[in-house]
Amino acid sequence: MSKKAIDTKTNTAIIFGNRIKKLRTDRQLKQSDLAEQLSEFMNIDPITLTTISSWEQGRKLCGIETLKYLALFFNVSVDYLLGLEDQPREKNRKAVFDTVSEDAQIVKYTDLASVDGCPVLIETDSTVKQGFKAKWAIYDHASHQFVTHRAVYNANPHIIVRCCVPLSKATMTNLRKRILKLSELKKKPCGEKFWILKLQGTPEERAEYTGWYTNNENHSCIINNDGLTLPYDGLGVTYTAFTDEICMY
């Protein structure tokens, strides 16, 4: 390797380290916190404190796969992490996730690659007689499939795809970990809260009903602090329950 190539790699590693450190401190995370959370985010063997330290000191770069997940974790572009651009936010991709209206959430069939590996809400359109109701899935562009908690669906133009979750908040792994089944939800004592994400209705209705809920006293429905109630039979159909907060745009 030439001296120029070595210098370029060294400079990139230093920039990468500085940006990882800034993103970490902006979130008020210790190096040990980042190691733990990134390991969980990637669903791999624990990333060590030494590894985080070596990145931030510019001693080495991470692998391509880890680089991709770091970009997703911090909701920035790979180019930003490598010093190829100065803006930390991934402008083009972020636009897909900005919800301004009902139509603004929809990802076109031809643009599915832009949400590869991301949590999306899918449902079939009105032309499909035996379709399925709205549900969360992760889109896998390599197989051209949507992977849900319990099933796999081949992508096709009749599946409506909506983006509602920030990339830094969920991946397939931690989405699955946080989803509550009805049996688990009902076991929670009155007063123990869980996060509800409303799947259907107008944007205003979804915003109104999304939030923290608990089982009511006789476990006949769930209720929030404003007195809004949702029936148990709506779980997975009109709303999804999570152990902790899943944000919407």
Side-chain angles (χ1 to χ4, degrees), residues 114-133:
S114 69
V115 292
D116 183 28
C118 302
V120 292
L121 190 66
I122 61 171
E123 60 185 315
T124 46
D125 63 27
S126 57
T127 64
V128 180
K129 292 182 178 179
Q130 294 182 336
F132 54 80
K133 295 182 179 179

Side-chain angles (χ1 to χ4, degrees), residues 40-202:
E40 179 183 353
F41 190 78
M42 295 178 64
N43 193 28
I44 60 173
D45 293 334
I47 294 172
T48 66
L49 182 61
T50 302
T51 297
I52 302 296
S53 178
S54 67
W55 291 345
E56 293 190 358
Q57 291 179 28
R59 295 202 303 269
K60 69 175 185 179
L61 286 165
C62 65
I64 293 175
E65 189 70 10
T66 302
L67 183 65
K68 179 184 74 173
Y69 276 99
L70 278 166
L72 292 174
F73 182 84
F74 287 117
N75 197 22
V76 297
S77 68
V78 169
D79 284 351
Y80 172 75
L81 292 178
L82 296 179
L84 299 176
E85 64 180 26
D86 294 328
Q87 296 300 319
R89 298 299 167 189
E90 195 169 345
K91 292 181 178 180
N92 293 337
R93 194 167 191 175
K94 179 70 163 56
V96 177
F97 291 82
D98 286 336
T99 299
V100 178
S101 66
E102 186 75 10
D103 291 338
Q105 296 181 60
I106 296 176
V107 180
K108 295 179 181 178
Y109 179 70
T110 53
D111 294 336
L112 285 177
S114 69
V115 292
D116 183 28
C118 302
V120 292
L121 190 66
I122 61 171
E123 60 185 315
T124 46
D125 63 27
S126 57
T127 64
V128 180
K129 292 182 178 179
Q130 294 182 336
F132 54 80
K133 295 182 179 179
K135 59 190 68 183
W136 289 108
I138 299 294
Y139 176 62
D140 179 7
H141 191 59
S143 63
H144 202 43
Q145 292 178 323
F146 296 99
V147 183
T148 72
H149 191 48
R150 297 178 179 175
V152 175
Y153 299 89
N154 293 324
N156 66 70
H158 298 295
I159 294 180
I160 300 171
V161 182
R162 304 180 193 277
C163 293
C164 306
V165 180
L167 291 178
S168 59
K169 289 288 183 181
T171 63
M172 175 56 101
T173 300
N174 60 32
L175 195 67
R176 280 180 170 173
K177 286 181 179 179
R178 288 160 172 77
I179 288 177
L180 280 173
K181 298 178 182 177
L182 182 58
S183 58
E184 298 168 332
L185 185 152
K186 284 186 173 181
K187 287 179 182 178
K188 289 187 173 293
C190 180
E192 184 175 333
K193 294 184 177 181
F194 39 84
W195 184 259
I196 294 298
L197 187 60
K198 193 74 165 65
L199 304 179
Q200 295 184 350
T202 65

